[in-house]
């Protein structure tokens, strides 16, 4: 049995001399006059291809090898040899080439020319075979791994919070309803009032917008926990930074105040960026060359700088005094728009910024109220180009103030009986935040559109594949 090898490893000089089996997809083929073909093969394991040399003496040379085109799949048995060619240290000399599947060049979409990312989105089933999407996917994998490693090293427990829920954590009413009721049937029968006792859970239920409330339950008993799962937002935002389904990492820590929370968020992001620079070097070089030639430098600078920390109120003053015309005017008490966030990170500070102490009137019920009665201990981490990448807060752990806030926001206290119980029995100061996985991938890969950093994007009107 021959050793099966990945293209990534076949490209390493240390493997010269090995007799191997290689399987993958043809990127290009060209024939030399000297009686052989050069086949560039990729299997997704690295940005670079391996060059396979197939001799005209091979029995299926005329019948199969000569008609190989981009997209065909094959197996190559052969030997890894030192390469005389430029830009590669090894190549594979084939003893056999077996073709698994052909790809008609008249209809296979991924021909050698470059395609726009919009076009590639229509071919989401084929785009994993492209250089950019391969790089993004490997980087996304590295970041996911890094996230787990970071929290495991810091003694956090990985917990799984529910996808189906009956509470709206963010209170923004942007939830997808989950039901087994037959809407067509209800329509046909012209039912004008739905009884939830007919429905699966006997009450309205939704896809979660955040695992925070359940993470708080575990933090208030086990110390430090994190969730990493899909979250859903039915907001009608057709922007380059919003998805209807995205992945969120939410750590939640007992005995952490807002400063501890900001320290953790900064350390966490720096760890992700460091790992990407170190472990995805080849892909980052590619991104730097093809997508944004400042990205490696930017990440290196961020890893060694201290994030700027600034109260919301001071940020508003900077924005109001900067003399720039914004589409949305800035006023104390309104949420910052992405143009404001970008001004602060890209133009004013030119580095990541953590804003904290936001107006209580624009933030959810669970955030800790400051003594000024106007602000809450919220924080957002903003980065250049992407804007908000993390949102978090210290949580309100004082039962009387929490209940007052819930009343202010017209929440049904009974529905949150368990959340209130956490404040009645052994309540502790605690904090947490949420990092949008796609936002962080978008940032490190410099991709302009968030739909190009998730395998199968869901946005208003789009749920293909
Ligand atoms: O600021 P958000 O809404 O915060 C929460 O959900 C808190 N419950 C988190 C917590 O404290 N445990 O969302 C957190 C992050 C944002 O900073 C952003 O990175 C990302 O989630 N995010 C989105 N990413 C893609 N598409 C969307 N529609 C997003 N909405 C939020
Ligand atoms: Mg937010």
């Amino acid at each position: 049995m021959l050793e099966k090898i990945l293209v990534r490893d076949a490209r390493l000089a240390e493997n010269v001399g090995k007799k191997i089996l290689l399987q993958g997809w043809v990127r290009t083929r060209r024939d030399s006059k000297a009686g052989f073909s050069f086949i560039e093969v990729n299997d997704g394991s690295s940005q670079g291809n391996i060059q396979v040399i197939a001799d005209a003496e091979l029995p299926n040379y005329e019948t199969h090898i000569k008609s190989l085109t981009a997209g065909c799949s094959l197996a190559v048995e052969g030997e890894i040899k030192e390469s005389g060619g430029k830009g590669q240290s090894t190549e594979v000399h084939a003893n056999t080439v077996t073709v698994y599947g052909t790809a008609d060049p008249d209809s296979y979409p991924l021909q050698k020319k470059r395609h726009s990312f919009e076009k590639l989105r229509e071919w989401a089933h084929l785009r994993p075979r492209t250089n950019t999407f391969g790089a993004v996917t490997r980087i996304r994998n590295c970041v996911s791994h890094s996230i787990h490693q970071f929290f495991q090293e810091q003694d956090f427990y990985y917990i799984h919070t529910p996808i189906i829920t009956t509470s709206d954590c963010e209170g923004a009413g942007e939830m997808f309803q989950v039901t087994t009721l037959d809407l067509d049937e209800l329509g046909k029968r012209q039912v004008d009032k739905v009884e939830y006792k007919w429905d699966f859970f006997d009450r309205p239920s939704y896809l979660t917008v955040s695992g925070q409330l359940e993470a708080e339950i575990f933090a208030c008993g086990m110390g430090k926990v994190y969730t990493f799962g899909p979250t859903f937002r039915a907001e009608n935002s057709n922007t380059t930074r919003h998805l209807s389904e995205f992945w969120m990492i939410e750590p939640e820590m007992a005995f952490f105040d807002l400063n501890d929370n900001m320290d953790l968020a900064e350390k966490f992001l720096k760890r992700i960026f460091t790992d990407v620079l170190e472990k995805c070097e080849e892909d980052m070089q590619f991104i730097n060359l093809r997508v944004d030639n400042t990205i490696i430098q930017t990440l290196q600078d961020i890893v060694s700088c201290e994030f700027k920390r600034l109260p919301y109120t001071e940020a508003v003053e900077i924005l109001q005094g900067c003399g720039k015309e914004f589409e949305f005017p800035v006023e104390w008490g309104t949420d910052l728009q992405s143009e404001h966030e970008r001004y602060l990170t890209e133009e004013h500070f030119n580095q990541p910024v953590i804003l904290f102490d936001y107006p209580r009137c624009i933030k959810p019920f669970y955030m800790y109220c400051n003594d000024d009665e106007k602000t809450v201990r919220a924080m957002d981490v903003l980065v250049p180009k992407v804007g908000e990448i993390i949102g978090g807060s210290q949580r309100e752990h004082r039962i009387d103030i929490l209940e007052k806030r819930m009343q202010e926001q017209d929440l049904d206290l009974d529905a949150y009986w368990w959340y209130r119980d956490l404040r009645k029995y052994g309540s502790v100061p605690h904090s947490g935040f949420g990092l949008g996985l796609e936002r962080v991938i978008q940032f490190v890969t410099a991709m302009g559109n968030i739909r190009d950093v998730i395998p199968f994007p869901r946005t208003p009107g789009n749920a293909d594949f």
Side-chain angles (χ1 to χ4, degrees):
M1 274 288 278
L2 286 171
E3 178 188 347
K4 257 196 198 189
I5 197 163
L6 295 175
V7 166
R8 180 190 67 208
D9 299 328
R11 285 165 52 81
L12 301 175
E14 68 197 53
N15 287 319
V16 165
K18 280 196 178 159
K19 299 206 163 45
I20 50 87
L21 165 64
L22 191 84
Q23 293 155 307
W25 292 267
V26 174
R27 284 292 175 86
T28 59
R29 192 202 86 247
R30 65 190 170 85
D31 303 320
S32 92
K33 291 199 190 73
F36 45 83
S37 291
F38 296 107
I39 313 164
E40 292 279 329
V41 178
N42 194 288
D43 63 357
S45 62
S46 68
Q47 184 61 236
N49 306 321
I50 185 87
Q51 175 166 282
V52 172
I53 299 182
D55 199 281
E57 301 294 302
L58 291 172
N60 59 347
Y61 188 78
E62 291 297 329
T63 51
H64 292 92
I65 296 172
K66 270 195 93 169
S67 44
L68 284 173
T69 49
C72 295
S73 52
L74 46 64
V76 175
E77 291 180 352
E79 186 178 335
I80 301 177
K81 299 210 167 159
E82 210 172 297
S83 170
K86 266 223 295 240
Q88 65 208 25
S89 52
T90 65
E91 59 195 24
V92 169
H93 289 224
N95 296 327
T96 69
V97 173
T98 311
V99 178
Y100 291 120
T102 56
D104 183 353
D106 292 332
S107 58
Y108 184 61
L110 302 181
Q111 297 305 325
K112 212 175 169 195
K113 80 179 192 66
R114 270 217 233 170
H115 299 283
S116 69
F117 294 135
E118 287 76 22
K119 196 79 216 157
L120 288 177
R121 242 172 264 148
E122 292 171 22
W123 302 323
H125 59 309
L126 297 171
R127 67 179 179 166
R129 302 181 187 189
T130 63
N131 290 332
T132 308
F133 212 70
V136 167
T137 304
R138 283 183 295 270
I139 291 169
R140 190 179 163 111
N141 175 66
C142 169
V143 170
S144 303
H145 185 64
S146 211
I147 287 166
H148 283 296
Q149 273 186 323
F150 175 82
F151 287 120
Q152 293 298 326
E153 286 165 13
Q154 312 259 337
D155 295 318
F156 280 69
Y157 294 111
Y158 174 33
I159 60 160
H160 302 96
T161 48
I163 307 283
I164 300 175
T165 174
T166 53
S167 44
D168 180 0
C169 173
E170 294 306 294
E174 290 168 339
M175 308 215 287
F176 288 101
Q177 190 159 1
V178 173
T179 180
T180 48
L181 293 174
D182 185 333
L183 300 185
D184 288 338
E185 192 55 35
L186 293 177
K188 268 188 234 147
R189 286 199 275 137
Q190 300 194 319
V191 172
D192 51 28
K193 180 153 185 344
V194 173
E195 297 288 345
Y196 279 102
K197 63 173 192 272
W198 306 336
D199 204 355
F200 194 89
F201 296 107
D202 288 342
R203 78 201 80 173
S205 53
Y206 308 90
L207 295 178
T208 189
V209 296
S210 160
Q212 177 195 320
L213 303 186
E214 291 88 355
E216 282 187 58
I217 295 181
F218 276 80
C220 294
M222 299 195 69
K224 296 193 286 186
V225 302
Y226 69 106
T227 73
F228 185 166
T231 47
F232 308 86
R233 306 251 168 131
E235 53 189 328
N236 200 1
S237 303
N238 253 310
T239 81
T240 55
R241 307 176 319 127
H242 288 88
L243 291 164
S244 314
E245 176 179 300
F246 63 97
W247 288 69
M248 183 148 63
I249 301 93
E250 296 182 275
E252 191 69 36
M253 300 74 65
F255 316 109
F256 266 53
D257 65 14
L258 189 68
N259 280 319
D260 301 325
N261 205 22
M262 291 196 272
D263 289 344
L264 183 79
E266 180 168 342
K267 197 166 163 194
F268 176 46
L269 286 176
K270 286 179 173 171
R271 166 62 181 273
I272 292 174
F273 301 155
T274 306
D275 281 356
V276 166
L277 288 169
E278 272 174 21
K279 298 181 183 169
C280 302
E281 206 188 331
E282 189 193 21
D283 286 320
M284 287 306 296
Q285 292 291 354
F286 174 82
I287 298 280
N288 209 68
L289 191 70
R290 291 295 186 81
V291 186
D292 175 351
N293 63 12
T294 62
I295 188 64
I296 291 183
Q297 188 62 51
T298 302
L299 293 179
Q300 283 168 345
D301 291 346
I302 289 178
V303 167
S304 53
C305 84
E306 221 172 274
F307 292 11
K308 179 77 194 165
R309 297 184 190 184
L310 189 77
Y312 163 93
T313 303
E314 284 179 31
V316 167
E317 285 163 11
I318 291 175
L319 292 164
Q320 285 174 333
C322 73
K324 199 178 157 100
E325 281 284 316
F326 293 112
E327 191 189 338
F328 297 92
V330 189
E331 227 181 295
W332 197 97
T334 57
D335 227 344
L336 296 186
Q337 301 292 325
S338 106
E339 55 173 344
H340 310 133
E341 298 173 344
R342 293 189 57 171
Y343 175 79
L344 291 170
T345 54
E346 288 167 33
E347 295 181 51
H348 192 82
F349 292 111
N350 196 25
Q351 64 161 93
V353 178
I354 310 184
L355 296 187
F356 61 93
D357 285 352
Y358 279 76
R360 64 190 267 173
C361 52
I362 56 170
K363 289 293 184 184
F365 71 97
Y366 55 71
M367 295 186 177
Y368 186 98
C369 293
N370 283 315
D371 293 341
D372 64 9
E373 305 232 315
K374 286 197 310 219
T375 59
V376 287
R377 286 196 188 150
M379 63 145 191
D380 275 3
V381 182
L382 316 178
V383 294
K385 304 220 169 88
V386 173
E388 178 191 340
I389 195 167
I390 282 180
S393 67
Q394 182 171 335
R395 317 306 187 190
E396 184 53 78
H397 69 284
R398 300 162 297 183
I399 184 72
D400 46 333
I401 299 177
L402 177 74
E403 289 182 345
K404 213 174 109 212
R405 281 275 281 163
M406 295 179 81
Q407 278 156 351
E408 255 171 44
Q409 303 198 355
D410 283 331
L411 294 173
D412 173 10
L413 268 66
D414 290 339
Y416 291 88
W417 64 274
W418 47 271
Y419 193 75
R420 287 160 47 236
D421 263 6
L422 298 177
R423 277 75 183 163
K424 286 187 199 158
Y425 310 119
S427 186
V428 294
H430 61 286
S431 300
F433 62 79
L435 168 71
L437 178 67
E438 289 72 21
R439 296 261 176 101
V440 78
I441 304 297
Q442 197 182 359
F443 181 61
V444 299
T445 60
M447 294 295 281
N449 196 316
I450 199 165
R451 297 162 207 220
D452 298 322
V453 300
I454 185 166
F456 304 104
R458 269 82 181 96
T459 52
N462 292 301
D464 280 346
F465 301 96

